[in-house]
């Protein structure tokens, strides 16, 4: 199966600090990968580098989307290619309503159905993220991707700050998002708690530590290992 996302020997810095070093990752078409790691391990920085967000700079290696190198492209160019991201801490947008954005994207028909599934119907007339709780912001970020319909889905801790009742709705929404009109989409999810694994179908898990991916394997087995042994590479314990 062809690779949707290829990351080769990637180094990323922010200011004078190197954040990622020698990261290699391949996510093939139709796969959903999950990235585990402690705070400060570089997980969010990796997603930001894929999306092209400042202040993160690629200082070595390359990022390819469907065989095209993208690490020199602007954020909007990457979005137009079909890359979308659900942010961990998005800003509020004054003067831009949820309904207005949906209409601008030609996605008004999808808005109400998915807003209902994510319990966000009362919010669609509001400014984006204005007066939203932490959990509501996370659910809106998922809804935003339903409006955008990108081919590569990036999720930065989608269950963080979401109550247990709505984690199931978020996980179910991610699974629905993965089912694109032309076949299964490709996705990469950062999870800090692992709870989201109960509500979505993941193919591969990775442990990131110290700015590197140190182990890859079955996502549920890795989560069990992390709960028992922390974020150390599990080869010795699983042998």
């Amino acid at each position: 199966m062809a690779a949707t996302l290829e990351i080769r020997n990637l180094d990323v810095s922010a200011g004078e600090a190197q954040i990622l070093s020698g990261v290699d990752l391949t996510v093939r078409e139709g796969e959903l990968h999950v990235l585990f790691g402690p705070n400060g391990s570089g997980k969010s920085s990796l997603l930001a580098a894929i999306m092209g967000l400042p202040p993160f700079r690629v200082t070595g290696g390359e990022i390819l989307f469907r065989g095209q190198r993208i690490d020199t492209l602007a954020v909007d160019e990457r979005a137009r290619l079909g890359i979308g991201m659900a942010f961990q801490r998005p800003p509020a947008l004054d003067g831009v309503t949820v309904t207005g954005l949906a209409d601008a994207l030609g996605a008004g028909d999808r808005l109400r159905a998915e807003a209902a599934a994510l319990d966000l119907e009362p919010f669609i007339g509001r400014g984006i993220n204005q007066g939203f709780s932490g959990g509501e912001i996370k659910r809106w970020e998922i809804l935003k991707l339903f409006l955008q319909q990108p081919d590569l889905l990036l999720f930065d801790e989608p269950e963080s700050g979401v109550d247990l009742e709505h984690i199931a709705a978020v996980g179910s929404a991610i699974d629905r998002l993965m089912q694109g009109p032309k076949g299964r989409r490709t996705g990469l999810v950062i999870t800090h708690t692992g709870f989201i694994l109960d509500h979505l179908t993941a193919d591969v898990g990775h442990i990131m530590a110290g700015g590197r991916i140190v182990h890859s394997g079955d996502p549920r087995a890795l989560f069990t290992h992390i709960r028992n042994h922390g974020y150390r590479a599990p080869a010795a314990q699983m042998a």
Side-chain angles (χ1 to χ4, degrees):
M1 192 175 293
T4 299
L5 175 68
E6 291 180 86
I7 297 173
R8 300 173 178 171
N9 198 30
L10 187 69
D11 298 337
V12 171
S13 295
E16 298 299 316
Q18 183 168 348
I19 309 297
L20 304 178
S21 178
V23 173
D24 291 301
L25 176 65
T26 298
V27 186
R28 301 193 181 278
E29 185 177 349
E31 291 182 340
L32 180 63
H33 288 216
V34 178
L35 190 61
F36 305 97
N39 290 333
S41 60
K43 306 184 302 298
S44 295
S45 301
L46 177 60
L47 261 60
I50 296 169
M51 198 71 237
L53 303 175
F56 301 97
R57 297 177 292 107
V58 173
T59 55
E62 56 188 9
I63 305 171
L64 293 92
F65 174 66
R66 291 182 169 162
Q68 175 183 346
R69 188 168 178 180
I70 63 169
D71 48 89
T72 59
L73 300 181
V75 177
D76 63 310
E77 293 175 299
R78 302 185 202 202
R80 289 189 180 96
L81 285 176
I83 303 174
M85 182 170 171
F87 292 86
Q88 186 179 164
R89 298 181 183 89
L93 300 181
D94 188 21
V96 181
T97 65
V98 172
T99 301
L101 178 60
D103 290 342
L105 292 171
D109 57 334
R110 292 191 295 271
L111 174 61
R112 288 194 178 276
E114 295 304 334
L118 287 162
D119 197 20
L120 287 174
E121 280 187 299
F123 299 86
I124 63 175
R126 291 192 190 180
I128 291 173
N129 292 329
Q130 291 192 324
F132 290 21
S133 69
E136 289 159 355
I137 287 173
K138 290 299 182 67
R139 284 182 278 139
W140 156 247
E141 286 294 295
I142 305 297
L143 177 57
K144 178 191 72 179
L145 293 180
F146 273 106
L147 305 181
Q148 292 176 296
Q149 295 285 295
D151 297 318
L152 175 62
L153 307 165
L154 308 174
F155 302 93
D156 192 353
E157 295 194 19
E159 82 274 40
S160 175
V162 179
D163 59 60
L164 291 176
E165 178 183 358
H166 287 111
I167 287 177
V170 167
S172 176
I174 291 173
D175 259 357
R176 291 198 308 279
L177 263 172
M178 287 291 293
Q179 308 306 318
K182 298 179 181 179
R184 189 168 163 84
R185 291 188 172 97
T186 304
L188 181 59
V189 178
I190 290 174
T191 180
H192 195 63
T193 68
F195 294 146
I196 199 75
L197 290 177
D198 290 333
H199 307 289
L200 53 75
T201 304
D203 300 291
V204 183
H206 309 276
I207 295 177
M208 176 167 271
R212 297 176 179 269
I213 291 177
V214 298
H215 190 86
S216 302
D218 177 81
R220 289 187 175 276
L222 284 185
F223 183 53
T224 298
H225 165 82
I226 290 165
R227 292 174 66 182
N228 293 328
H229 303 286
Y231 292 104
R232 294 170 296 170
Q237 290 84 1
M238 296 177 71

